[in-house]
Amino acid sequence: AQSVTQPDIHITVSEGASLELRCNYSYGATPYLFWYVQSPGQGLQLLLKYFSGDTLVQGIKGFEAEFKRSQSSFNLRKPSVHWSDAAEYFCAVGINYGQNFVFGPGTRLSVLP
Amino acid sequence: EAQVTQNPRYLITVTGKKLTVTCSQNMNHEYMSWYRQDPGLGLRQIYYSMNVEVTDKGDVPEGYKVSRKEKRNFPLILESPSPNQTSLYFCASSKSTGTNSNQPQHFGDGTRLSIL
């Protein structure tokens, strides 16, 4: 069965430090990959997506992610975290030609001043 | 402004009392979907719709119904709500699926349901 794992439930970093959030998926074909961010009380906002081509994708708010097929991973990175980045981050996989979407359990990011 | 609108945003009700959560999008999207979000489980897909009059089950459809009579609306119906349906619900839409399936979803702001 398809699945998405985000091994880190909660990560705390200092403002200005670099960030990497991990995402691994299990899916037989090449998936469509997404990262979303959810601020408290809000819906999900798309940060970036990967469908094909260059495996390093750039998103909004200074985030980037790298697709590594050999590791079935799609890790999210940011070189310097801002306090406003504190939120919950979800990795998602689009399967069955986009009919279904499977989300990971989320990683909550806290940022220390 | 492009948006997905859910109503109500918050609802407290009792077991067995039928309720409907509405979802409307103004982007002329074909694809719409409902999710529930529970702590530690992320978002799980309840139902989705590829277009008008085309709906299908997601991962957790039990206890829910949907309809898609118009392109813009995709209501979620709980015929006889139970406490285990207490959750945060999100509606989402995207432009298309199939051969153009690489479209991200746009999410509503969520509906928090409490079933007593």
Side-chain angles (χ1 to χ4, degrees), chain A residues 4 11 14-15 17-18 22-23 25 28 32-33 37 39-41 57 61-62 64 70 73 77 91 94 97 103 107 109:
Chain A
V4 178
I11 285 182
S14 298
E15 191 168 19
S18 64
R22 296 182 289 165
C23 172
Y25 66 90
Y32 302 130
L33 297 162
V37 60
S39 298
V57 294
K61 303 184 180 186
E64 66 177 27
S70 61
S73 69
R77 300 193 293 250
C91 180
Y97 298 102
F103 283 78
T107 296
L109 173 66

Side-chain angles (χ1 to χ4, degrees), chain B residues 49-82:
Chain B
S49 171
M50 305 279 280
N51 214 323
V52 176
E53 301 291 1
V54 181
T55 64
D56 210 343
K57 296 177 181 179
D59 294 325
V60 289
E62 295 79 17
Y64 304 95
K65 286 175 57 178
V66 293
S67 69
R68 188 89 182 274
K69 293 183 171 55
E70 306 165 278
K71 198 171 190 179
R72 64 181 292 125
N73 296 323
F74 190 45
L76 179 70
I77 303 157
L78 285 69
E79 293 272 4
S80 183
S82 62

Side-chain angles (χ1 to χ4, degrees), chain A residues 43-111:
Chain A
L44 278 73
Q45 180 184 22
L46 179 72
L47 285 176
L48 47 77
K49 58 187 185 290
Y50 171 81
F51 304 126
S52 63
D54 192 347
T55 56
L56 183 64
V57 294
Q58 303 297 320
I60 63 171
K61 303 184 180 186
F63 285 93
E64 66 177 27
E66 186 172 12
F67 170 55
K68 292 186 177 180
R69 184 187 303 275
S70 61
Q71 298 177 19
S72 297
S73 69
F74 189 55
N75 294 349
L76 182 71
R77 300 193 293 250
K78 186 169 185 178
S80 178
V81 170
H82 188 263
W83 64 265
S84 61
D85 293 325
E88 189 146 23
Y89 292 79
F90 292 94
C91 180
V93 168
I95 63 174
N96 297 330
Y97 298 102
Q99 291 183 52
N100 303 102
F101 292 85
V102 180
F103 283 78
T107 296
R108 184 160 64 92
L109 173 66
S110 297
V111 180

Side-chain angles (χ1 to χ4, degrees), chain A residues 38 42 44 90, chain B residues 6-13 19 21 34-46 60 62-64 76 78 81-91 109-116:
Chain A
Q38 183 183 32
Q42 302 294 316
L44 278 73
F90 292 94
Chain B
Q6 298 177 225
N7 279 296
R9 291 292 311 278
Y10 304 92
L11 179 63
I12 301 174
T13 188
L19 68 90
V21 184
W34 274 104
Y35 299 87
R36 60 177 289 173
Q37 182 180 17
D38 301 289
L41 297 177
L43 278 77
R44 293 179 292 168
Q45 194 171 37
I46 303 171
V60 289
E62 295 79 17
Y64 304 95
L76 179 70
L78 285 69
S82 62
N84 64 10
Q85 293 177 297
T86 292
S87 188
L88 179 58
Y89 292 84
F90 287 99
C91 179
D109 285 337
T111 295
R112 187 168 291 282
L113 289 184
S114 293
I115 316 296
L116 304 178

